[in-house]
Amino acid sequence: MSLRMFIHSEKPHELDRWENDEKFGLQRLLGVNSSVIRRVKDMSQLDNFNVDENEIRWLLQGLTLKEAIDARKLFIVDHAILDKCPKNPKITLCSPIALFFREEDKIMPIAIQLFQGRSDDNPVFFPTDDKYTWILAKMWFNNADAQIHQAISHFGFFKLLAPHLMAINNIGLKFLGCLPPDIVDRGVEPTDVPFYPFRDDAQLTYQAIEEYVDSYVSLYYRSDKVLIEIPEIQAWRVGHAAVNFKQYDEYALTLIGHPPKDKRERDLKEDAIPTIQPINKLLTLMGLTKVLSTRATNALGNFEVNYIHDPAAVELVEQFQKNLENTRKEIEKRNKTRSAERAYPFLNPAEIPNAISI
C-alpha cells in the first residue's frame, strides 16, 4: 500500500487508507498473500497471543473468544515462521500475529501482536489504541507480510510442470498443496468467508487448468502408477498470478527504524513518517515492483510456441481455450458487481501469463 503522498501533504490520502481497517482486512482476501489467512478452530492457535479476554470482548460483538471460535467468526494470520529466519542485525523484522473478526462479508482486524511470545514489551495492539500507534502496528504487520510473500508465497508456488521452469526454495516446498483441500484446511469455505475473491476466482481457473492437465496427461499416460512416479505432476499447483501481479499496488514501501513496543500516544510527523524509507530508496523499490508486476508473455492458453500437433492433443488445447474463455467471462461478470476496492482481476485467464517470466 503506497505512502508516496506522505512526503507531499499534511494528511495524505494514502494515510486515510492506512486508517481504514476494512481495507487492511481486504488485503488478506485479495492481496498478494491471499492464501495465508485461517479460521481459528481452537484456543491452542492463540497460545502465543498475549490477548486479554476482557480487552477484546467488545470487539467480538460481546462474544468470548471461545464463542467467537464456535461461531466460526474468528480468523488469524500468524507469521511465526519469520521468528526463526536469519536476519540482518541492523534491520527489524517482526514475526507478527493478527486476529480478524468476520462481520457479515467483511474481515476486520481486531488485534495485532508484532512478535511471537508473551512479554511486557510485546503488547497486543487494538483498533481502540492511539490512532498512529494502531496505524504503525498495521504498517509493521504488512512489512512482515511482504517478507512472507517474497520468501514463501511468490517463490513457493508451482505452475504447471514448474520444476522445468524454476527453482523452488526449501521453505516454499512445505506450503505446496492443491487448492480445494487447502481451502478446507484453512477453514475459509464460502459459509465461513462469504466474500473471498481469491478463493472463488482461483477455483474457476484451477478447474479449467486441472481438466486440461488431467485430459492431456491421460492421453499419454494410461496408468495411475506411472503418474504417481512423475514428481512434476505430483507437485503441480496454480498460484503465481495471484501473488505476483499486485506487488506494485501493495509494495510501495518497506519500513525502517523500530516498531512500537508500547501504547503511548504517537504523532504523524514524529513517529509515522520517519519509518518510511528515504525518497531515493522508495522510488527504487517502486521501480522494482513495477517491473516484477509486468506481464511479459501471452495470456494463459495462448502459447508463444506451439509444441502440440497431435490431433487428439490439439482438440484438448482447443477445449482448454474454450474453458478459459468461459472463466474469463464469469470473472469479468463478477468484477462488475464488485466495488473498485473489491475488484480482483488477477486470476482472470486473460490476465494470467503462460509462463513465469520473472
Side-chain angles (χ1 to χ4, degrees):
M1 187 184 298
S2 170
L3 288 182
R4 287 166 280 171
M5 295 293 292
F6 250 122
I7 301 162
H8 302 296
S9 66
E10 196 70 24
K11 185 171 185 282
H13 168 69
E14 289 295 340
L15 183 59
D16 292 336
R17 299 182 68 189
W18 277 106
E19 291 178 18
N20 188 331
D21 286 349
E22 182 181 349
K23 171 64 178 176
F24 186 78
L26 272 176
Q27 287 184 299
R28 311 314 131 200
L29 305 178
L30 47 71
V32 291
N33 276 340
S34 299
S35 60
V36 177
I37 190 168
R38 310 179 73 89
R39 179 166 54 80
V40 180
K41 298 179 181 179
D42 61 72
M43 291 291 289
S44 66
Q45 290 173 263
L46 306 180
D47 284 348
N48 286 328
F49 207 59
N50 191 22
V51 63
D52 185 285
E53 187 87 45
N54 295 324
E55 288 182 301
I56 204 171
R57 188 163 184 167
W58 80 272
L59 294 168
L60 301 174
Q61 297 180 346
L63 301 176
T64 65
L65 283 169
K66 181 66 167 57
E67 289 169 343
I69 292 170
D70 292 342
R72 306 168 77 96
K73 287 177 172 285
L74 196 63
F75 297 82
I76 190 170
V77 176
D78 187 349
H79 290 329
I81 192 171
L82 294 176
D83 191 41
K84 303 300 182 183
C85 286
K87 303 175 184 70
N88 183 330
K90 296 180 180 179
I91 297 174
T92 300
L93 177 61
C94 300
S95 51
I97 310 169
L99 277 186
F100 299 83
F101 184 72
R102 176 169 61 82
E103 299 178 5
E104 298 180 349
D105 67 344
K106 300 175 183 178
I107 300 291
M108 302 294 288
I110 58 171
I112 296 173
Q113 181 176 295
L114 292 176
F115 296 92
Q116 298 291 310
R118 299 168 178 245
S119 66
D120 292 340
D121 64 349
N122 185 29
V124 176
F125 299 101
F126 303 107
T128 51
D129 289 336
D130 169 72
K131 174 180 174 179
Y132 292 113
T133 299
W134 175 240
I135 287 175
L136 280 167
K138 290 188 287 184
M139 289 169 64
W140 280 98
F141 179 92
N142 271 6
N143 190 65
D145 205 58
Q147 314 314 313
I148 287 285
H149 169 266
Q150 287 298 329
I152 298 171
S153 301
H154 189 173
F155 293 108
F157 286 119
F158 282 87
K159 284 208 61 172
L160 177 60
L161 306 182
H164 294 303
L165 303 176
M166 60 185 289
I168 304 297
N169 62 40
N170 290 330
I171 295 176
L173 286 170
K174 78 180 270 196
F175 287 85
L176 293 172
C178 290
L179 182 67
D182 175 65
I183 290 170
V184 175
D185 179 62
R186 291 191 292 116
V188 290
E189 296 163 279
T191 52
D192 299 311
V193 187
F195 180 79
Y196 194 177
F198 164 77
R199 174 200 62 210
D200 298 336
D201 293 359
Q203 285 183 314
L204 286 179
T205 306
Y206 179 94
Q207 289 164 5
I209 298 174
E210 182 182 45
E211 180 182 324
Y212 170 57
V213 172
D214 183 64
S215 300
Y216 193 97
V217 172
S218 297
L219 185 64
Y220 296 102
Y221 297 95
R222 303 294 182 182
S223 167
D224 288 344
K225 182 177 183 299
V226 174
L227 291 180
I228 292 172
E229 295 170 355
I230 301 176
E232 290 89 345
I233 300 300
Q234 297 306 311
W236 171 65
R237 179 176 178 173
V238 177
H240 184 261
V243 301
N244 188 70
F245 298 114
K246 210 176 183 186
Q247 290 184 82
Y248 181 69
D249 298 327
E250 303 285 332
Y251 286 171
L253 69 94
T254 56
L255 303 184
I256 56 177
H258 302 282
K261 291 195 174 185
D262 59 58
K263 298 199 175 195
R264 65 177 173 83
E265 290 188 5
R266 286 175 166 82
D267 178 75
L268 172 63
K269 290 184 177 180
E270 295 296 323
D271 299 293
I273 292 178
T275 65
I276 309 302
Q277 292 277 3
I279 186 64
N280 59 327
K281 292 185 178 180
L282 189 60
L283 291 173
T284 299
L285 179 61
M286 289 169 59
L288 175 61
T289 55
K290 184 66 174 178
V291 171
L292 290 173
S293 301
T294 301
R295 296 163 178 80
T297 67
N298 290 347
L300 184 63
N302 181 16
F303 307 129
E304 278 81 2
V305 180
N306 185 13
Y307 294 102
I308 299 173
H309 302 285
D310 179 348
V314 169
E315 187 175 327
L316 296 179
V317 172
E318 291 174 349
Q319 183 59 51
F320 177 46
Q321 291 169 337
K322 289 179 183 178
N323 290 344
L324 290 175
E325 177 62 12
N326 291 335
T327 297
R328 178 191 69 80
K329 290 178 179 178
E330 176 59 27
I331 291 176
E332 289 178 356
K333 179 181 175 182
R334 291 176 178 179
N335 277 323
K336 287 180 180 178
T337 67
R338 296 167 178 164
S339 66
E341 284 286 302
R342 290 181 161 214
Y344 191 72
F346 301 98
L347 288 174
N348 181 337
E351 300 292 329
I352 300 175
N354 263 317
I356 300 170
S357 56
I358 294 179

